[in-house]
Amino acid sequence: MSLPRVLVTRKLPADVEARLKRDYAPLLNEEDRLFSAGELAARAEGMDAVLATVTDKLDAAAINALPGSVRIIATFSVGYDHIDVAAAAKRGITVTNTPGVLTHATADITLLLLLGAARGAGWGEAMIRQKTWQNWAPSGPLGTDVTGKRLGILGMGRIGQAVALRARAVGMEIHYHNRSRLSEAGEQGAQYHESPEALFAQSDILSINCASTPQTRGLINARTLALLPEGAIVVNSARGDIVDDEALIAALQSGKVAAAGLDVYAGEPDIHPGYRGLSNTFLLPHLGSATRETRNAMGFCALDNLDAFFAGKAPPNPVTP
Ligand code: DGY
């Protein structure tokens, strides 16, 4: 029996590619080149599956351009906002993702962003690199303590809860908004807010941990930023398009928002140039899941989905419209 043919859109960790070669007939991307929708459709000719990542824009047009041989798209990511799942369903294409395995790595990066923004790690490191550090100075520049502050978590799923765990360890008070309220055991003392707006008003530091959906895109905008306490801090390790960049940059310039820690951006890697010029931003290049262990786990999870599908079983992580 011939092995299922899998189009792999990016270079994956070596152990993941080794398992792919063992169990499938993969078309790998050795040069790790980004493919246009047209190139992707051409490479998918005769393929049974596409193993995609967040850099593949699989909108309705791209999905409709895929050849009829493709029966499953397994994304190497927990987020699937880059895939038009409804368009895939219409064509009978199964979509799967990789939840769970990147929770802790992403929560770690969120804490790094939170501390980096609060303590001025961006400008601090720049002083060293640019040789502008003159001496230790009692009066500044200064950051802000996180201990005793209120952390507002927008989106209390797996990652939001893992962020709360870490924030409790540094003495923060946890507030959250989520589509559905957690059980008392799940809340662990966190205070639930019925609406994002109610949460924002109580967030000394706001951490964005929700998925990008039609409801959350642009949710952090001039109107909602105005609800934050004066000098609040904004942290985003979820998706860039949840934030209106112009509005956040204006708030960072006015001091309404004292600092921002960002790992994700609308249109990345071409981020809004306004962020680069601000000393009160701590910026990372989408490193949330970027550890050797986690990237292996994401690859193996994507392969578990393919294995189940091609064994005629329900994949463990299906995504539905
Ligand atoms: C995901 O899996 O959605 C992440 O953004 C990749 O780090």
Side-chain angles (χ1 to χ4, degrees), residues 54 76-82 98 102 106 237-239 263-264 286-290 295 298:
V54 292
F76 179 98
S77 60
V78 63
Y80 50 87
D81 48 298
H82 55 295
T98 64
L102 43 77
T106 308
S237 60
R239 282 292 182 265
D263 188 44
V264 288
H286 204 149
L287 294 182
S289 64
R295 289 285 165 84
M298 290 165 73

Side-chain angles (χ1 to χ4, degrees), residues 21-92:
K21 286 183 195 158
R22 188 191 66 193
D23 299 340
Y24 294 92
L27 176 56
L28 299 175
N29 181 356
E30 301 287 0
E31 305 86 48
D32 202 21
R33 212 159 57 73
L34 287 183
F35 299 122
S36 66
E39 284 175 304
L40 200 131
R43 287 176 77 84
E45 208 52 58
M47 296 288 147
D48 300 296
V50 176
L51 205 169
T53 78
V54 292
T55 53
D56 301 303
K57 297 279 159 273
L58 292 169
D59 57 14
I63 298 268
N64 290 332
L66 289 175
S69 57
V70 172
R71 292 187 291 137
I72 177 167
I73 298 169
T75 184
F76 179 98
S77 60
V78 63
Y80 50 87
D81 48 298
H82 55 295
I83 303 175
D84 190 326
V85 180
K90 255 194 213 151
R91 290 205 49 197

Side-chain angles (χ1 to χ4, degrees), residues 75-316:
T75 184
F76 179 98
S77 60
V78 63
Y80 50 87
D81 48 298
H82 55 295
I83 303 175
D84 190 326
V85 180
K90 255 194 213 151
R91 290 205 49 197
I93 299 174
T94 297
V95 178
T96 63
N97 69 340
T98 64
V101 293
L102 43 77
T103 301
H104 295 297
T106 308
D108 288 345
I109 277 285
T110 309
L111 193 71
L112 178 63
L113 294 172
L114 188 161
L115 290 169
R119 299 300 303 273
W123 52 253
E125 211 208 15
M127 282 166 85
I128 301 275
R129 290 190 189 277
Q130 294 159 12
K131 300 190 178 164
T132 55
W133 184 32
Q134 313 241 300
N135 50 47
W136 184 91
S139 60
L142 302 176
T144 186
D145 278 347
V146 299
T147 302
K149 298 281 164 55
R150 297 166 298 177
L151 174 65
I153 300 179
L154 181 65
M156 198 62 144
R158 289 186 189 85
I159 296 172
Q161 291 177 50
V163 170
L165 178 74
R166 285 154 177 75
R168 280 187 197 101
V170 293
M172 300 193 77
E173 183 183 304
I174 313 298
H175 294 246
Y176 77 100
H177 169 74
N178 198 46
R179 271 175 310 174
S180 48
R181 187 172 180 167
L182 302 186
S183 66
E184 209 179 316
E187 279 183 344
Q188 304 210 8
Q191 197 173 317
Y192 175 66
H193 296 269
E194 296 259 349
S195 65
E197 285 78 2
L199 175 73
F200 298 155
Q202 300 297 321
S203 300
D204 298 316
I205 299 179
L206 175 69
S207 177
I208 303 166
N209 295 108
C210 55
S212 167
T213 65
Q215 290 72 42
T216 62
R217 265 166 230 145
L219 180 59
I220 308 303
N221 54 40
R223 179 186 70 82
T224 52
L225 286 167
L227 302 172
L228 293 170
E230 218 42 46
I233 289 171
V234 174
V235 168
N236 189 5
S237 60
R239 282 292 182 265
D241 60 5
I242 297 167
V243 173
D244 172 343
D245 288 330
E246 297 281 342
L248 179 56
I249 288 164
L252 284 160
Q253 283 165 337
S254 72
K256 168 72 193 176
V257 170
L262 307 175
D263 188 44
V264 288
Y265 310 85
E268 62 188 50
D270 299 320
I271 76 169
H272 192 300
Y275 288 123
R276 287 182 225 247
L278 291 170
S279 61
N280 52 351
T281 52
F282 177 57
L283 307 173
L284 296 177
H286 204 149
L287 294 182
S289 64
T291 68
R292 278 183 291 280
E293 297 87 342
T294 296
R295 289 285 165 84
N296 270 339
M298 290 165 73
F300 296 146
C301 182
L303 292 182
D304 291 345
N305 284 315
L306 291 179
D307 291 352
F309 181 83
F310 288 111
K313 299 185 192 141

